[in-house]
Amino acid sequence: MVVEQLKELGFNEEQINTILTNYAIEKMRKSKLNQLVGEMLEYLKKYGYSDKDIVKMSKLHPSIYGYSANNISQKILFLENLGYVKLEVIK
């Protein structure tokens, strides 16, 4: 399920492998990983990020899928409160 979701976003096999071999992610059970990736993609899209933005963010920070959507939400809001705009957050 995770691999299919990442392929739909445009990731190739090497990029997917980089994400899935991240230490925090690699140690997760598959069911938990599926849940986190699904929640993260849903959250980022709902927040207004495009598929292209999500791919860029994932390539720069593959460990993003090791965090909960709530955790990432707090981090994004913190950066926005510092004055960063949405597209600067993904850099």
Side-chain angles (χ1 to χ4, degrees):
M1 180 173 182
V2 172
V3 172
E4 291 81 21
Q5 288 176 308
L6 295 175
K7 281 183 180 179
E8 285 177 18
L9 286 172
F11 286 98
N12 64 37
E13 293 294 327
E14 182 180 340
Q15 294 164 332
I16 291 170
N17 188 48
T18 299
I19 291 170
L20 297 179
T21 57
N22 175 282
Y23 180 78
I25 293 172
E26 192 175 47
K27 301 301 178 195
M28 277 185 210
R29 288 194 323 252
K30 206 171 231 178
S31 61
K32 181 66 174 174
L33 179 60
N34 284 332
Q35 176 188 347
L36 284 175
V37 170
E39 288 174 0
M40 184 62 62
L41 294 175
E42 182 181 326
Y43 168 76
L44 292 172
K45 287 180 180 183
K46 189 182 292 184
Y47 196 75
Y49 286 105
S50 68
D51 287 352
K52 185 178 177 181
D53 294 334
I54 294 170
V55 170
K56 182 177 180 180
M57 187 183 305
S58 301
K59 287 179 181 178
L60 292 171
H61 309 288
S63 62
I64 191 172
Y65 296 103
Y67 298 100
S68 69
N70 183 50
N71 185 294
I72 293 300
S73 172
Q74 291 174 359
K75 292 176 185 328
I76 290 172
L77 290 174
F78 174 76
L79 291 171
E80 287 180 339
N81 287 334
L82 291 175
Y84 291 94
V85 296
K86 184 171 59 174
L87 293 179
E88 291 176 317
V89 170
I90 64 174
K91 291 183 180 180

